[in-house]
Amino acid sequence: MEVLAHTALHHLKGVGDAVAQKLAKLDISTVQDLLFHLPRDYEDRSHITPIAGLAIGRSALLEGDVLAAEVVTGRRTSFVVKFSDGSGLITLRFYHFYAGQKQHFRPGQRMRVFGEARLGASGLEIYHPDYQSVTPGEALPPARLTPIYPTTEGLTQAKLRQLVAQALTLLSPQSLPELLPDAVQLRYRLIDALRTVHNPPADTPREQLLSGTHPAQQRLAFEELAAHQVSLAQRRHHIRAQKAPALPFETPLAAQLLERLAFRLTGAQHRVWNEIANDLRKPHPMLRLVQGDVGAGKTVVAALAACHAVTGGWQVALMAPTEILAEQHFVNFSRWFCALGVPVAWLSGKQGVKERRLSLERVQSGEARIVVGTHALFQESVQFEKLGLVIIDEQHRFGVDQRLALREKGLATGYSPHQLVMTATPIPRTLAMSAYGDLDTSVIDELPPNRTPVTTVALADTRREEVIDRVRANCEQGRQAYWVCTLIEESEQLEAQAAEATFAELQMLLPHLKLGLVHGRLKPAEKQSIMMEFKDGKLDLLVATTVIEVGVDVPNASLMIIENAERLGLSQLHQLRGRVGRGSAVSYCVLLYHAPLSAMGQERLAIMRSTSDGFVIAEKDLELRGPGEVLGTRQTGLVGFRVADLVRDAGMLKAAQHLARKLEQDSPVQAESLVRRWLPQAPRYSVV
Ligand code: ADP
Ligand code: MG
């Protein structure tokens, strides 16, 4: 019996070159790959779902009456049926239809339709549902759960099912060996688990299977999580095997820096600095993620890390995702280091040619010991004399690839630079373990003293006038305020227009105040100069879109108004709110919402009022909206899972990680097979 990991697809009936090519698009090239191509959902035609209870992206059987049917001409002509079951209304849409089809959909006709609900032009829609006329009360078909697979153009569900069915007949403990050690075999053997998810027996509990909590699915999810952890561990070992400069633990420069600071480090800052210093003294690259809530004081910790490199004779690159942030770091670092005789250079895409050339020369010759900048630091023209430490602020805006690119910059010396990543987005443990599993984590879990917590209130937008009065009173006392305009549309233009309108309105109502406006449509230089004016106290009120979200520090700002707060995610609200409460004045955040609030909206605003702990907020956000939203973008390197779900299966993650480490140490060959089985596309670091 051939091992399925090496059995070509052509072995199956019905796979010619054309089908094989389509399967390749799904990363399926062996029979094993096909067996691990798991259903993303199940069809269940034995159970009627009320329209009001439909979930987007899920297939369901509906029963109801045709209200109206017509051919709608337009950019793309379609046949449109309005369909209702008393609980709600849905549109059935056919782009491919034939004249006689209309006969089936007479108004008043009772029908059962089956398909996947989505959000279309007219709200809830189903495209090309299966349909059948019925008489009220007609018996339902017997329960049967049919898998639905992720697929690609030109490859039907029926074809996939037929191929999987053949593959299942080849399954045996010999053809598809277990890779997990016996001790952790859950309630299912691997081959039974695969049989169950691909071809659920009639008595399989429906709810379990649909929610992914069936023991067979859990068995697979555990294995998948373990495979991911092995892959992360391999990447980590690969990097750890490289050489890095062992930097001095003792640095007089840091002592001098601390002496000149107007404050003392918090205990958390001290602890994290110590963790970093301990990494840096080793001859292998540090890979450390520092998480610290907004205002926790990450910048000075970065500066202290830089001291070790500078003392050791190595250069430091500090990179931030926006001009404003990079500039802010440059100002701080220049103030701190130039006084200590350490030259700091500045690199940005917006720099003039001459200035830039000068900076590049200073970096290449080694005259500049620290260079601060934006993405411009990645560019090929940037050459370092001796790069020893890379610091990246606000990590979630950069991709893993960019992280790697900067590391390459050090390789000319034969050494890989140490890497410090800082993020203000508190990342729930479960996510951090998966998205940044290759990094060690430190948490600055203490705010500097004398911070007064921000008082948060939620008000209906009918009370906008009162809020404007409050802005007036605040600014007349010499303090500053933010007014944040938000829109749900993903359009910078619309958002900018809304901000402009609000700006005009507020300017009229608050004639004695000096107002500024920033939004994403401004040129970076304009944006920056307005931000600087606000920072310098020349403006009282800054009207802004969510572009001000990241890291800008204006301690005199003590009031923030956020419009349409119910539409924003918790993590984003938290980031915004972190712009105030940075000085000693009592600060307020007013969340304006539009009534009536949905249950979700109510819950979100209640959480914002009840806690200022970024981790609690991030956990809630993860629960309410999923990992993509919490991490900000998809480019974070967080891979999609086939069956595991980081929220649902969080409880298994620790055990999966433990197992992965053990496997990697004790049975590297099996560990490698596990990664190949679940992550055929992952970069290969292992030499096994
Ligand atoms: P973040 O972690 O959000 O990047 P920053 O590094 O910008 O925070 O620090 C926020 C503010 O707190 C800055 O004005 C900084 O000077 C100040 N700060 C940092 N550490 C301390 C401390 N230990 N005591 C008092 N103020 C501090
Ligand atoms: Mg910061």
Side-chain angles (χ1 to χ4, degrees), residues 627-654:
E629 300 289 341
V630 177
L631 288 174
T633 75
R634 301 203 65 199
Q635 48 158 338
T636 42
L638 180 69
V639 235
F641 288 96
R642 294 163 189 244
V643 53
D645 177 307
L646 287 179
V647 179
R648 184 191 65 213
D649 303 329
M652 296 197 285
L653 204 53
K654 263 234 103 76

PDB file of all heavy atoms in Angstrom, residues 627-654:
ATOM      1  N   PRO A 627      -9.962  37.593  14.543  1.00  0.00           N
ATOM      2  CA  PRO A 627      -8.551  37.982  14.583  1.00  0.00           C
ATOM      3  C   PRO A 627      -8.135  39.034  13.565  1.00  0.00           C
ATOM      4  O   PRO A 627      -7.304  39.868  13.858  1.00  0.00           O
ATOM      5  CB  PRO A 627      -7.806  36.667  14.341  1.00  0.00           C
ATOM      6  CG  PRO A 627      -8.817  35.695  13.884  1.00  0.00           C
ATOM      7  CD  PRO A 627     -10.163  36.180  14.286  1.00  0.00           C
ATOM      8  N   GLY A 628      -8.721  39.005  12.366  1.00  0.00           N
ATOM      9  CA  GLY A 628      -8.303  39.957  11.333  1.00  0.00           C
ATOM     10  C   GLY A 628      -8.445  41.389  11.814  1.00  0.00           C
ATOM     11  O   GLY A 628      -7.583  42.230  11.615  1.00  0.00           O
ATOM     12  N   GLU A 629      -9.558  41.660  12.490  1.00  0.00           N
ATOM     13  CA  GLU A 629      -9.836  43.003  12.958  1.00  0.00           C
ATOM     14  C   GLU A 629      -8.877  43.413  14.054  1.00  0.00           C
ATOM     15  O   GLU A 629      -8.451  44.559  14.142  1.00  0.00           O
ATOM     16  CB  GLU A 629     -11.265  43.075  13.501  1.00  0.00           C
ATOM     17  CG  GLU A 629     -12.324  42.723  12.488  1.00  0.00           C
ATOM     18  CD  GLU A 629     -12.474  43.804  11.435  1.00  0.00           C
ATOM     19  OE1 GLU A 629     -12.033  44.933  11.684  1.00  0.00           O
ATOM     20  OE2 GLU A 629     -13.015  43.500  10.359  1.00  0.00           O
ATOM     21  N   VAL A 630      -8.559  42.492  14.920  1.00  0.00           N
ATOM     22  CA  VAL A 630      -7.728  42.834  16.061  1.00  0.00           C
ATOM     23  C   VAL A 630      -6.305  43.143  15.612  1.00  0.00           C
ATOM     24  O   VAL A 630      -5.667  44.077  16.084  1.00  0.00           O
ATOM     25  CB  VAL A 630      -7.726  41.703  17.108  1.00  0.00           C
ATOM     26  CG1 VAL A 630      -6.791  42.043  18.259  1.00  0.00           C
ATOM     27  CG2 VAL A 630      -9.140  41.503  17.638  1.00  0.00           C
ATOM     28  N   LEU A 631      -5.814  42.374  14.675  1.00  0.00           N
ATOM     29  CA  LEU A 631      -4.439  42.581  14.234  1.00  0.00           C
ATOM     30  C   LEU A 631      -4.320  43.691  13.209  1.00  0.00           C
ATOM     31  O   LEU A 631      -3.236  44.095  12.856  1.00  0.00           O
ATOM     32  CB  LEU A 631      -3.861  41.289  13.660  1.00  0.00           C
ATOM     33  CG  LEU A 631      -3.570  40.238  14.719  1.00  0.00           C
ATOM     34  CD1 LEU A 631      -3.133  38.951  14.070  1.00  0.00           C
ATOM     35  CD2 LEU A 631      -2.504  40.724  15.682  1.00  0.00           C
ATOM     36  N   GLY A 632      -5.451  44.170  12.737  1.00  0.00           N
ATOM     37  CA  GLY A 632      -5.405  45.313  11.829  1.00  0.00           C
ATOM     38  C   GLY A 632      -5.378  44.923  10.371  1.00  0.00           C
ATOM     39  O   GLY A 632      -6.172  45.391   9.608  1.00  0.00           O
ATOM     40  N   THR A 633      -4.515  44.032   9.981  1.00  0.00           N
ATOM     41  CA  THR A 633      -4.456  43.674   8.571  1.00  0.00           C
ATOM     42  C   THR A 633      -4.262  42.177   8.433  1.00  0.00           C
ATOM     43  O   THR A 633      -3.992  41.479   9.395  1.00  0.00           O
ATOM     44  CB  THR A 633      -3.268  44.333   7.861  1.00  0.00           C
ATOM     45  OG1 THR A 633      -2.102  43.630   8.257  1.00  0.00           O
ATOM     46  CG2 THR A 633      -3.139  45.786   8.218  1.00  0.00           C
ATOM     47  N   ARG A 634      -4.361  41.715   7.229  1.00  0.00           N
ATOM     48  CA  ARG A 634      -4.170  40.295   6.992  1.00  0.00           C
ATOM     49  C   ARG A 634      -2.706  39.976   6.731  1.00  0.00           C
ATOM     50  O   ARG A 634      -2.306  38.832   6.732  1.00  0.00           O
ATOM     51  CB  ARG A 634      -5.015  39.828   5.806  1.00  0.00           C
ATOM     52  CG  ARG A 634      -6.483  40.067   6.007  1.00  0.00           C
ATOM     53  CD  ARG A 634      -7.281  39.141   5.156  1.00  0.00           C
ATOM     54  NE  ARG A 634      -7.092  37.756   5.575  1.00  0.00           N
ATOM     55  CZ  ARG A 634      -7.366  36.716   4.817  1.00  0.00           C
ATOM     56  NH1 ARG A 634      -7.820  36.898   3.623  1.00  0.00           N
ATOM     57  NH2 ARG A 634      -7.186  35.498   5.275  1.00  0.00           N
ATOM     58  N   GLN A 635      -1.924  41.022   6.486  1.00  0.00           N
ATOM     59  CA  GLN A 635      -0.541  40.768   6.082  1.00  0.00           C
ATOM     60  C   GLN A 635       0.355  40.443   7.263  1.00  0.00           C
ATOM     61  O   GLN A 635       1.560  40.379   7.141  1.00  0.00           O
ATOM     62  CB  GLN A 635       0.020  41.976   5.352  1.00  0.00           C
ATOM     63  CG  GLN A 635      -0.234  43.255   6.083  1.00  0.00           C
ATOM     64  CD  GLN A 635       0.727  44.350   5.675  1.00  0.00           C
ATOM     65  OE1 GLN A 635       1.784  44.091   5.169  1.00  0.00           O
ATOM     66  NE2 GLN A 635       0.332  45.571   5.909  1.00  0.00           N
ATOM     67  N   THR A 636      -0.225  40.218   8.410  1.00  0.00           N
ATOM     68  CA  THR A 636       0.592  39.986   9.585  1.00  0.00           C
ATOM     69  C   THR A 636       1.234  38.612   9.567  1.00  0.00           C
ATOM     70  O   THR A 636       1.989  38.273  10.448  1.00  0.00           O
ATOM     71  CB  THR A 636      -0.267  40.082  10.844  1.00  0.00           C
ATOM     72  OG1 THR A 636      -1.491  39.429  10.578  1.00  0.00           O
ATOM     73  CG2 THR A 636      -0.528  41.512  11.191  1.00  0.00           C
ATOM     74  N   GLY A 637       0.910  37.816   8.554  1.00  0.00           N
ATOM     75  CA  GLY A 637       1.514  36.504   8.511  1.00  0.00           C
ATOM     76  C   GLY A 637       0.679  35.476   9.251  1.00  0.00           C
ATOM     77  O   GLY A 637       1.086  34.336   9.436  1.00  0.00           O
ATOM     78  N   LEU A 638      -0.489  35.901   9.667  1.00  0.00           N
ATOM     79  CA  LEU A 638      -1.373  34.982  10.353  1.00  0.00           C
ATOM     80  C   LEU A 638      -2.056  34.120   9.298  1.00  0.00           C
ATOM     81  O   LEU A 638      -2.841  34.592   8.515  1.00  0.00           O
ATOM     82  CB  LEU A 638      -2.418  35.770  11.141  1.00  0.00           C
ATOM     83  CG  LEU A 638      -3.426  34.956  11.910  1.00  0.00           C
ATOM     84  CD1 LEU A 638      -2.743  34.249  13.059  1.00  0.00           C
ATOM     85  CD2 LEU A 638      -4.526  35.852  12.432  1.00  0.00           C
ATOM     86  N   VAL A 639      -1.740  32.866   9.291  1.00  0.00           N
ATOM     87  CA  VAL A 639      -2.238  32.008   8.228  1.00  0.00           C
ATOM     88  C   VAL A 639      -3.673  31.590   8.531  1.00  0.00           C
ATOM     89  O   VAL A 639      -4.072  31.482   9.674  1.00  0.00           O
ATOM     90  CB  VAL A 639      -1.396  30.726   8.119  1.00  0.00           C
ATOM     91  CG1 VAL A 639      -0.866  30.574   6.718  1.00  0.00           C
ATOM     92  CG2 VAL A 639      -0.301  30.713   9.137  1.00  0.00           C
ATOM     93  N   GLY A 640      -4.425  31.343   7.478  1.00  0.00           N
ATOM     94  CA  GLY A 640      -5.772  30.844   7.678  1.00  0.00           C
ATOM     95  C   GLY A 640      -5.716  29.390   8.132  1.00  0.00           C
ATOM     96  O   GLY A 640      -4.862  28.639   7.695  1.00  0.00           O
ATOM     97  N   PHE A 641      -6.607  29.021   9.012  1.00  0.00           N
ATOM     98  CA  PHE A 641      -6.646  27.642   9.468  1.00  0.00           C
ATOM     99  C   PHE A 641      -7.693  26.859   8.688  1.00  0.00           C
ATOM    100  O   PHE A 641      -8.663  27.415   8.207  1.00  0.00           O
ATOM    101  CB  PHE A 641      -6.986  27.601  10.955  1.00  0.00           C
ATOM    102  CG  PHE A 641      -5.860  28.061  11.838  1.00  0.00           C
ATOM    103  CD1 PHE A 641      -5.799  29.364  12.299  1.00  0.00           C
ATOM    104  CD2 PHE A 641      -4.855  27.180  12.199  1.00  0.00           C
ATOM    105  CE1 PHE A 641      -4.757  29.785  13.108  1.00  0.00           C
ATOM    106  CE2 PHE A 641      -3.812  27.592  13.007  1.00  0.00           C
ATOM    107  CZ  PHE A 641      -3.763  28.891  13.459  1.00  0.00           C
ATOM    108  N   ARG A 642      -7.490  25.572   8.575  1.00  0.00           N
ATOM    109  CA  ARG A 642      -8.452  24.718   7.872  1.00  0.00           C
ATOM    110  C   ARG A 642      -9.617  24.349   8.768  1.00  0.00           C
ATOM    111  O   ARG A 642     -10.755  24.332   8.369  1.00  0.00           O
ATOM    112  CB  ARG A 642      -7.780  23.426   7.423  1.00  0.00           C
ATOM    113  CG  ARG A 642      -6.737  23.658   6.392  1.00  0.00           C
ATOM    114  CD  ARG A 642      -5.824  22.454   6.275  1.00  0.00           C
ATOM    115  NE  ARG A 642      -4.713  22.816   5.430  1.00  0.00           N
ATOM    116  CZ  ARG A 642      -4.461  22.253   4.248  1.00  0.00           C
ATOM    117  NH1 ARG A 642      -5.221  21.267   3.812  1.00  0.00           N
ATOM    118  NH2 ARG A 642      -3.459  22.660   3.521  1.00  0.00           N
ATOM    119  N   VAL A 643      -9.303  24.002   9.988  1.00  0.00           N
ATOM    120  CA  VAL A 643     -10.367  23.542  10.882  1.00  0.00           C
ATOM    121  C   VAL A 643     -10.268  24.223  12.240  1.00  0.00           C
ATOM    122  O   VAL A 643     -11.263  24.470  12.888  1.00  0.00           O
ATOM    123  CB  VAL A 643     -10.356  21.988  10.995  1.00  0.00           C
ATOM    124  CG1 VAL A 643      -8.998  21.464  11.365  1.00  0.00           C
ATOM    125  CG2 VAL A 643     -11.388  21.481  11.980  1.00  0.00           C
ATOM    126  N   ALA A 644      -9.073  24.573  12.664  1.00  0.00           N
ATOM    127  CA  ALA A 644      -8.922  25.221  13.969  1.00  0.00           C
ATOM    128  C   ALA A 644      -9.489  26.634  13.932  1.00  0.00           C
ATOM    129  O   ALA A 644      -9.616  27.233  12.874  1.00  0.00           O
ATOM    130  CB  ALA A 644      -7.452  25.278  14.362  1.00  0.00           C
ATOM    131  N   ASP A 645      -9.872  27.129  15.079  1.00  0.00           N
ATOM    132  CA  ASP A 645     -10.394  28.474  15.221  1.00  0.00           C
ATOM    133  C   ASP A 645      -9.801  29.035  16.505  1.00  0.00           C
ATOM    134  O   ASP A 645      -9.975  28.456  17.569  1.00  0.00           O
ATOM    135  CB  ASP A 645     -11.919  28.407  15.303  1.00  0.00           C
ATOM    136  CG  ASP A 645     -12.552  29.767  15.538  1.00  0.00           C
ATOM    137  OD1 ASP A 645     -12.161  30.471  16.486  1.00  0.00           O
ATOM    138  OD2 ASP A 645     -13.464  30.111  14.775  1.00  0.00           O
ATOM    139  N   LEU A 646      -9.070  30.142  16.363  1.00  0.00           N
ATOM    140  CA  LEU A 646      -8.287  30.624  17.500  1.00  0.00           C
ATOM    141  C   LEU A 646      -9.147  31.015  18.690  1.00  0.00           C
ATOM    142  O   LEU A 646      -8.709  30.933  19.826  1.00  0.00           O
ATOM    143  CB  LEU A 646      -7.423  31.801  17.081  1.00  0.00           C
ATOM    144  CG  LEU A 646      -6.234  31.423  16.215  1.00  0.00           C
ATOM    145  CD1 LEU A 646      -5.447  32.656  15.837  1.00  0.00           C
ATOM    146  CD2 LEU A 646      -5.342  30.425  16.936  1.00  0.00           C
ATOM    147  N   VAL A 647     -10.354  31.453  18.438  1.00  0.00           N
ATOM    148  CA  VAL A 647     -11.206  31.828  19.563  1.00  0.00           C
ATOM    149  C   VAL A 647     -11.810  30.574  20.185  1.00  0.00           C
ATOM    150  O   VAL A 647     -11.654  30.298  21.367  1.00  0.00           O
ATOM    151  CB  VAL A 647     -12.320  32.795  19.112  1.00  0.00           C
ATOM    152  CG1 VAL A 647     -13.212  33.154  20.284  1.00  0.00           C
ATOM    153  CG2 VAL A 647     -11.698  34.041  18.506  1.00  0.00           C
ATOM    154  N   ARG A 648     -12.424  29.772  19.343  1.00  0.00           N
ATOM    155  CA  ARG A 648     -13.102  28.583  19.836  1.00  0.00           C
ATOM    156  C   ARG A 648     -12.118  27.589  20.472  1.00  0.00           C
ATOM    157  O   ARG A 648     -12.403  26.991  21.501  1.00  0.00           O
ATOM    158  CB  ARG A 648     -13.833  27.912  18.657  1.00  0.00           C
ATOM    159  CG  ARG A 648     -14.672  26.702  19.022  1.00  0.00           C
ATOM    160  CD  ARG A 648     -15.112  25.968  17.765  1.00  0.00           C
ATOM    161  NE  ARG A 648     -13.965  25.417  17.055  1.00  0.00           N
ATOM    162  CZ  ARG A 648     -13.898  25.306  15.724  1.00  0.00           C
ATOM    163  NH1 ARG A 648     -14.886  25.705  14.969  1.00  0.00           N
ATOM    164  NH2 ARG A 648     -12.821  24.803  15.165  1.00  0.00           N
ATOM    165  N   ASP A 649     -10.973  27.437  19.861  1.00  0.00           N
ATOM    166  CA  ASP A 649     -10.050  26.385  20.282  1.00  0.00           C
ATOM    167  C   ASP A 649      -8.884  26.901  21.132  1.00  0.00           C
ATOM    168  O   ASP A 649      -7.873  26.213  21.285  1.00  0.00           O
ATOM    169  CB  ASP A 649      -9.500  25.654  19.052  1.00  0.00           C
ATOM    170  CG  ASP A 649     -10.620  25.077  18.197  1.00  0.00           C
ATOM    171  OD1 ASP A 649     -11.668  24.720  18.774  1.00  0.00           O
ATOM    172  OD2 ASP A 649     -10.459  24.996  16.975  1.00  0.00           O
ATOM    173  N   ALA A 650      -9.056  28.116  21.651  1.00  0.00           N
ATOM    174  CA  ALA A 650      -7.967  28.718  22.427  1.00  0.00           C
ATOM    175  C   ALA A 650      -7.496  27.783  23.541  1.00  0.00           C
ATOM    176  O   ALA A 650      -6.312  27.719  23.858  1.00  0.00           O
ATOM    177  CB  ALA A 650      -8.417  30.053  23.017  1.00  0.00           C
ATOM    178  N   GLY A 651      -8.443  27.042  24.102  1.00  0.00           N
ATOM    179  CA  GLY A 651      -8.120  26.157  25.213  1.00  0.00           C
ATOM    180  C   GLY A 651      -7.111  25.061  24.856  1.00  0.00           C
ATOM    181  O   GLY A 651      -6.458  24.512  25.731  1.00  0.00           O
ATOM    182  N   MET A 652      -6.997  24.747  23.584  1.00  0.00           N
ATOM    183  CA  MET A 652      -6.097  23.653  23.182  1.00  0.00           C
ATOM    184  C   MET A 652      -4.704  24.142  22.835  1.00  0.00           C
ATOM    185  O   MET A 652      -3.791  23.344  22.630  1.00  0.00           O
ATOM    186  CB  MET A 652      -6.657  22.945  21.932  1.00  0.00           C
ATOM    187  CG  MET A 652      -7.967  22.255  22.146  1.00  0.00           C
ATOM    188  SD  MET A 652      -8.317  21.062  20.823  1.00  0.00           S
ATOM    189  CE  MET A 652      -8.770  22.118  19.483  1.00  0.00           C
ATOM    190  N   LEU A 653      -4.566  25.464  22.727  1.00  0.00           N
ATOM    191  CA  LEU A 653      -3.342  25.997  22.143  1.00  0.00           C
ATOM    192  C   LEU A 653      -2.096  25.670  22.953  1.00  0.00           C
ATOM    193  O   LEU A 653      -1.058  25.315  22.400  1.00  0.00           O
ATOM    194  CB  LEU A 653      -3.498  27.509  21.973  1.00  0.00           C
ATOM    195  CG  LEU A 653      -2.624  28.142  20.909  1.00  0.00           C
ATOM    196  CD1 LEU A 653      -2.767  27.467  19.573  1.00  0.00           C
ATOM    197  CD2 LEU A 653      -2.979  29.609  20.770  1.00  0.00           C
ATOM    198  N   LYS A 654      -2.220  25.782  24.259  1.00  0.00           N
ATOM    199  CA  LYS A 654      -1.058  25.528  25.115  1.00  0.00           C
ATOM    200  C   LYS A 654      -0.580  24.092  24.929  1.00  0.00           C
ATOM    201  O   LYS A 654       0.613  23.841  24.767  1.00  0.00           O
ATOM    202  CB  LYS A 654      -1.441  25.752  26.592  1.00  0.00           C
ATOM    203  CG  LYS A 654      -1.056  27.117  27.087  1.00  0.00           C
ATOM    204  CD  LYS A 654      -0.194  27.051  28.347  1.00  0.00           C
ATOM    205  CE  LYS A 654       1.274  27.301  28.067  1.00  0.00           C
ATOM    206  NZ  LYS A 654       1.599  28.680  27.845  1.00  0.00           N
TER     207      LYS A 654
END
